[in-house]
Amino acid sequence: IPILLGSCNSRYSAVSLSKFNIERKQIGQNFVKTYLEKCENKDYSEFEGFNISKKFQTKLLPDSLKKSCNYLSYKNGKITVGKLVSAHTANSPKDFLDVLNFEIKTEKSAKPMYLHLGMYRDQNYIEMPFYISADESYYETIRKKYYKK
């Protein structure tokens, strides 16, 4: 019974980074760096050179981007992107969206932080989430936030 309950409890699974090709990793990392550079330079123009989902594009309009950048700056200060440390995918529906987890350093926090970025497997479209938390897994962050006991 404990084995059965343990297997039913998992809502996400890790994706091996060795399954990611170099281009896929680069697209994610370049998008994150571009986003943060735009915030730092107060450049709220359109993103070019990336496949971005329609849902996420609404968050990248000049007013929305400005608001997001101001919030990131207020909450974290200057952000420096590190390496891709892991990727996770939801178990249901399966195999269409991966959440890439990048290690970041923030000016206002000494503890390790992670930036989570969604990326569709089909044509590497950038998607939500674009989220910063102390947990390496975005799904763990959401579990803690919404499934408090």
Side-chain angles (χ1 to χ4, degrees):
I1 292 177
I3 293 171
L4 180 62
L5 290 176
S7 66
C8 293
N9 198 16
S10 180
R11 292 185 173 95
Y12 65 90
S13 58
V15 178
S16 172
L17 291 180
S18 64
K19 289 185 178 181
F20 278 79
N21 64 25
I22 294 171
E23 177 190 15
R24 190 166 162 79
K25 291 177 187 177
Q26 280 301 118
I27 290 170
Q29 192 148 28
N30 288 344
F31 179 81
V32 170
K33 286 182 179 180
T34 301
Y35 189 102
L36 295 175
E37 285 173 5
K38 282 181 170 283
C39 287
E40 191 173 326
N41 298 330
K42 298 185 183 329
D43 172 15
Y44 308 119
S45 62
E46 188 176 324
F47 284 79
E48 295 178 6
F50 297 100
N51 292 334
I52 302 171
S53 73
K54 295 293 182 192
K55 179 180 172 185
F56 195 32
Q57 279 181 348
T58 61
K59 304 291 184 190
L60 300 176
L61 296 173
D63 290 342
S64 300
L65 184 59
K66 181 179 180 180
K67 187 176 179 181
S68 175
C69 288
N70 289 339
Y71 178 76
L72 285 174
S73 178
Y74 167 77
K75 183 128 172 127
N76 302 293
K78 183 170 171 58
I79 300 171
T80 307
V81 181
K83 64 179 183 169
L84 175 66
V85 292
S86 66
H88 294 93
T89 190
N91 287 336
S92 177
K94 192 170 180 80
D95 287 344
F96 76 97
L97 177 75
D98 295 324
V99 178
L100 310 179
N101 306 300
F102 294 93
E103 190 173 51
I104 61 170
K105 293 182 181 170
T106 65
E107 193 174 49
K108 295 185 177 182
S109 177
K111 64 182 179 177
M113 299 291 285
Y114 299 91
L115 189 145
H116 312 289
L117 175 69
M119 184 182 283
Y120 285 113
R121 290 186 181 178
D122 182 33
Q123 300 177 8
N124 296 328
Y125 270 78
I126 305 294
E127 172 60 300
M128 304 282 291
F130 186 89
Y131 193 80
I132 294 176
S133 74
D135 295 310
E136 183 180 328
S137 170
Y138 171 74
Y139 295 107
E140 185 63 21
T141 299
I142 296 305
R143 186 191 67 75
K144 287 179 181 178
K145 186 174 181 179
Y146 294 108
Y147 297 105
K148 294 179 182 176
K149 291 182 180 180

